[in-house]
Amino acid sequence: MLQKGTAKKVTIFINEDTQRHFGSLCDAILTFLLHKGVSGATATRAIAGFGAHQVIHTTKIELLTEHLPIRIEFIESAAKVDEVMPTLYDMVNDGVIEVQDTNVVKVANKERPSPAKGPHTEMRGIARLMRIYMGESDKWQGEPLYEAIVKHLRMMDIAGATVYRGILGYGAKGHTHKSGWFSRDLPIMISVVDSEEKLARATTEIESMMQDGIIVFSDVEVIRLVHSRPALESSHANG
């Protein structure tokens, strides 16, 4: 476990598409560090960069997004870094590994015990599924329409909502929208499940916010698993 005091910071620069054993090198490195007990590691994806090959890679041009830089960084004791470095050296055939001296001034790692769960109960019932279709570029009072709708649903105490972003689609206007750098109006679908009464009230609110889109309903059967509180906790609550 990482302790307060002197330590080593390791930074690894690789390409996003670099493979190892038919998988991502980034995933392989993170998995290795996890198995070796490294306190923590973070991988970040750059939006632009170039390396020893002297080729610029950027998200602004789709053809140049293939080899975007990935930065993996972790901080550990010198002993732990010495332990993992030979394998990392072997794994990174195309990239850069940098090791720096650093000083850890605080380690905040408060463990939160998982609450004990009692046996689960099953809740079943008939509900309504509402799907709302719109474009990603649709707005409501200056913000994305799908974000505004989710906020309104939450304020109306709707049980939950999930937003899905499509990669390809077309609507009533017949225009095809495809995932890519130049696409600004990909399909968006919001899925909501709740009682018929609550969704009926929500529909009135949502219709006033939409200028172009579709709202559809389906009858669904809800199966929900709920973990009951353990007996000890229940007795305290009643005492």
Side-chain angles (χ1 to χ4, degrees):
M1 179 179 176
L2 187 63
Q3 301 290 332
K4 180 179 178 181
T6 58
K8 298 285 187 179
K9 180 172 74 171
V10 180
T11 308
I12 306 169
F13 298 91
I14 58 176
N15 288 331
E16 184 178 23
D17 62 335
T18 303
Q19 300 290 299
R20 179 177 174 83
H21 298 159
F22 306 104
S24 164
L25 175 59
C26 177
D27 291 344
I29 291 175
L30 291 176
T31 301
F32 166 71
L33 295 175
L34 176 64
H35 288 169
K36 295 300 290 185
V38 170
S39 297
T42 302
T44 54
R45 181 178 187 262
I47 61 172
F50 72 92
H53 303 293
Q54 298 296 299
V55 177
I56 292 179
H57 306 286
T58 173
T59 57
K60 294 183 178 180
I61 302 176
E62 190 169 3
L63 291 176
L64 300 180
T65 62
E66 185 177 357
H67 307 287
L68 280 171
I70 293 288
R71 174 191 179 114
I72 303 173
E73 189 171 270
F74 67 93
I75 297 174
E76 259 297 351
S77 65
K80 179 61 72 173
V81 171
D82 289 342
E83 178 185 348
V84 301
M85 190 53 62
T87 302
L88 292 176
Y89 191 91
D90 177 66
M91 296 174 74
V92 180
N93 293 320
D94 184 10
V96 175
I97 301 177
E98 177 186 13
V99 181
Q100 294 178 322
D101 293 326
T102 189
N103 188 42
V104 178
V105 297
K106 182 179 180 181
V107 179
N109 189 25
K110 183 179 179 182
E111 295 185 1
R112 300 179 179 177
S114 299
K117 294 181 178 180
H120 71 261
T121 58
E122 186 177 282
M123 301 173 61
R124 291 176 178 264
I126 301 300
R128 292 279 275 175
L129 168 64
M130 176 172 65
R131 296 188 182 97
I132 311 165
Y133 296 89
M134 70 200 73
E136 188 177 20
S137 65
D138 294 349
K139 301 290 185 182
W140 168 257
Q141 297 182 351
E143 69 174 327
L145 176 60
Y146 63 90
E147 291 186 10
I149 289 176
V150 171
K151 290 178 182 178
H152 277 71
L153 292 172
R154 188 174 184 182
M155 287 189 294
M156 298 179 71
D157 199 30
I158 297 297
T162 304
V163 178
Y164 298 91
R165 184 174 186 259
I167 60 173
L168 180 66
Y170 71 92
K173 299 177 181 177
H175 299 157
T176 299
H177 304 285
K178 183 178 181 181
S179 178
W181 176 251
F182 298 104
S183 179
R184 289 291 185 274
D185 196 21
L186 289 170
I188 293 289
M189 182 190 78
I190 304 176
S191 177
V192 187
V193 177
D194 212 312
S195 67
E196 183 174 2
E197 294 76 16
K198 292 177 71 172
L199 291 187
R201 293 195 298 269
T203 302
T204 303
E205 183 80 15
I206 293 170
E207 282 182 310
S208 66
M209 301 169 67
M210 298 179 64
Q211 295 182 348
D212 185 18
I214 301 174
I215 302 175
V216 299
F217 288 90
S218 303
D219 292 325
V220 295
E221 181 181 0
V222 176
I223 303 176
R224 183 183 179 191
L225 300 180
V226 181
H227 284 277
S228 60
R229 295 184 298 175
L232 180 61
E233 183 181 346
S234 300
S235 64
H236 288 326
N238 295 330

